Amino acid sequence: MVLTEKPPTSPGAPGARGAAPFDVEGATLFLRAQASWLCRGLEQAADDPIAVRIVLGAHDATHGRWLSLIARVQRSFGPAVAEQLSRVYAFHGRVAGSLERGVDPMLEPDLAEQIRRVLAEHLRQVTEAIIDLLEHAASGHADTPPSQ
């Protein structure tokens, strides 16, 4: 399933009268969907090259949505939070790049599978951390880090 819905609604400038609040729920759905696609690709990389191509196509189709989300985060919460989201976007891109390149043929299959599992888990953790940061910032605390 390729995501076709629009990205989260665009907020106005911080403090602007009548500006729509940042859509944390929409951003959360988008971010989790992106991570889910890439994790699926990592899980199926060894067995299903067609599934990997579908995952990469879905990822490639979302670059504009990522950039739009980063811009909305910058307008809503400032450059520090936007920079953190940009780093998550870059990491998602590196994961997609690793899927595209495939596994080094010199690696033992069991080791390659372990590497993909670790990468998928780290991708989930990074994605959940940025969601926590967005929720924290949306609650009015963009200038302080969320508690761990």
Side-chain angles (χ1 to χ4, degrees):
M1 173 176 89
V2 176
L3 293 176
T4 57
E5 64 269 5
K6 292 184 179 183
T9 57
S10 176
R17 186 170 286 188
F22 182 80
D23 182 4
V24 176
E25 184 176 318
T28 297
L29 289 171
F30 174 76
L31 292 166
R32 285 188 178 141
Q34 297 310 297
S36 177
W37 271 108
L38 290 172
C39 287
R40 178 174 292 182
L42 289 167
E43 292 162 1
Q44 297 179 352
D47 302 323
D48 193 348
I50 293 172
V52 171
R53 284 187 291 212
I54 292 169
V55 166
L56 291 172
H59 170 77
D60 286 344
T62 63
H63 292 298
R65 292 182 187 137
W66 274 101
L67 297 175
S68 176
L69 178 59
I70 292 166
R72 285 191 309 280
V73 165
Q74 170 126 5
R75 286 191 303 271
S76 295
F77 309 125
V81 179
E83 174 61 28
Q84 292 298 313
L85 180 58
S86 294
R87 289 180 185 175
V88 172
Y89 172 48
F91 184 67
H92 278 238
R94 286 191 301 276
V95 170
S98 74
L99 277 172
E100 190 169 28
R101 286 186 302 278
V103 176
D104 185 331
M106 296 185 69
L107 286 177
E108 293 290 327
D110 289 345
L111 179 58
E113 184 179 333
Q114 288 176 347
I115 291 169
R116 287 191 302 269
R117 273 198 308 255
V118 167
L119 190 55
E121 182 57 32
H122 186 64
L123 180 65
R124 287 183 191 99
Q125 290 172 354
V126 166
T127 301
E128 289 304 315
I130 195 64
I131 289 168
D132 289 347
L133 179 60
L134 292 174
E135 289 172 344
H136 184 74
S139 70
H141 305 298
D143 54 339
T144 60
S147 60
Q148 296 296 323

